Tab-separated table of all heavy atoms in Angstrom:
chain	number	residue	atom	x	y	z
W	78	PRO	N	127.001	86.584	124.181
W	78	PRO	CA	127.195	86.357	125.682
W	78	PRO	C	126.505	85.051	125.933
W	78	PRO	O	125.378	84.766	125.485
W	78	PRO	CB	126.405	87.640	126.262
W	78	PRO	CG	126.446	88.553	125.243
W	78	PRO	CD	126.439	87.924	123.940
W	94	MET	N	121.322	75.232	113.194
W	94	MET	CA	120.402	76.225	112.726
W	94	MET	C	121.048	77.360	112.016
W	94	MET	O	120.448	77.891	111.173
W	94	MET	CB	119.529	76.674	113.926
W	94	MET	CG	118.554	75.686	114.554
W	94	MET	SD	117.357	75.016	113.344
W	94	MET	CE	116.424	76.536	112.894
W	104	ILE	N	118.831	82.560	98.220
W	104	ILE	CA	117.431	82.850	97.833
W	104	ILE	C	117.058	84.342	97.966
W	104	ILE	O	116.435	84.943	97.082
W	104	ILE	CB	116.529	82.015	98.725
W	104	ILE	CG1	116.775	80.489	98.459
W	104	ILE	CG2	115.017	82.390	98.470
W	104	ILE	CD1	115.900	79.627	99.464
W	313	ILE	N	101.824	78.199	114.546
W	313	ILE	CA	101.183	77.906	115.963
W	313	ILE	C	102.026	77.232	116.870
W	313	ILE	O	102.262	77.567	118.097
W	313	ILE	CB	99.780	77.181	115.678
W	313	ILE	CG1	98.905	78.079	114.888
W	313	ILE	CG2	99.188	76.669	116.993
W	313	ILE	CD1	97.607	77.265	114.316
W	337	LYS	N	102.923	94.557	96.828
W	337	LYS	CA	101.497	94.135	97.209
W	337	LYS	C	101.273	93.536	98.414
W	337	LYS	O	100.212	93.257	98.872
W	337	LYS	CB	100.920	93.261	96.054
W	337	LYS	CG	101.152	93.872	94.653
W	337	LYS	CD	100.085	95.072	94.463
W	337	LYS	CE	98.655	94.630	94.344
W	337	LYS	NZ	97.868	95.845	94.093
W	362	SER	N	104.491	91.591	129.132
W	362	SER	CA	103.550	90.422	128.616
W	362	SER	C	102.458	90.077	129.745
W	362	SER	O	101.233	89.816	129.276
W	362	SER	CB	104.439	89.276	128.280
W	362	SER	OG	105.404	89.406	127.451
W	387	SER	N	104.295	86.640	124.500
W	387	SER	CA	105.569	86.354	125.164
W	387	SER	C	106.728	87.283	124.632
W	387	SER	O	106.701	87.607	123.456
W	387	SER	CB	106.074	84.923	125.018
W	387	SER	OG	106.463	84.644	123.591
W	470	LEU	N	107.329	97.874	123.966
W	470	LEU	CA	105.916	98.318	123.884
W	470	LEU	C	105.318	98.192	122.506
W	470	LEU	O	104.253	97.706	122.146
W	470	LEU	CB	105.696	99.796	124.443
W	470	LEU	CG	105.755	99.951	125.883
W	470	LEU	CD1	105.999	101.351	126.290
W	470	LEU	CD2	104.662	99.344	126.591
W	547	VAL	N	118.793	112.525	106.830
W	547	VAL	CA	120.109	112.351	106.313
W	547	VAL	C	120.175	110.995	105.492
W	547	VAL	O	121.254	110.788	104.889
W	547	VAL	CB	121.144	112.270	107.428
W	547	VAL	CG1	121.034	113.536	108.342
W	547	VAL	CG2	120.902	111.143	108.339
W	586	ASP	N	120.148	130.635	114.638
W	586	ASP	CA	121.534	130.648	114.055
W	586	ASP	C	121.339	129.906	112.712
W	586	ASP	O	122.340	129.263	112.352
W	586	ASP	CB	122.537	130.011	114.924
W	586	ASP	CG	122.644	130.850	116.297
W	586	ASP	OD1	122.415	132.058	116.293
W	586	ASP	OD2	123.005	130.043	117.374
W	587	GLY	N	120.295	130.212	111.948
W	587	GLY	CA	120.247	129.509	110.626
W	587	GLY	C	119.911	128.036	110.624
W	587	GLY	O	119.963	127.308	109.626
W	628	GLY	N	99.493	112.586	102.868
W	628	GLY	CA	99.447	113.913	103.266
W	628	GLY	C	100.472	114.426	104.266
W	628	GLY	O	100.906	115.445	104.358
W	675	LYS	N	133.093	76.431	118.792
W	675	LYS	CA	133.926	77.449	119.310
W	675	LYS	C	133.301	78.830	118.491
W	675	LYS	O	132.959	78.719	117.297
W	675	LYS	CB	135.448	77.501	119.156
W	675	LYS	CG	136.046	76.354	119.902
W	675	LYS	CD	135.845	76.677	121.403
W	675	LYS	CE	136.779	75.644	122.274
W	675	LYS	NZ	136.553	75.926	123.667
W	691	SER	N	131.524	81.081	98.849
W	691	SER	CA	132.300	79.905	98.562
W	691	SER	C	131.573	78.622	99.172
W	691	SER	O	131.421	77.546	98.505
W	691	SER	CB	133.700	80.070	99.120
W	691	SER	OG	134.243	78.781	98.876
Side-chain angles (χ1 to χ4, degrees):
M94 290 303 296
I104 296 175
I313 293 168
K337 302 296 285 185
S362 303
S387 68
L470 288 164
V547 304
D586 300 326
K675 297 295 185 181
S691 173

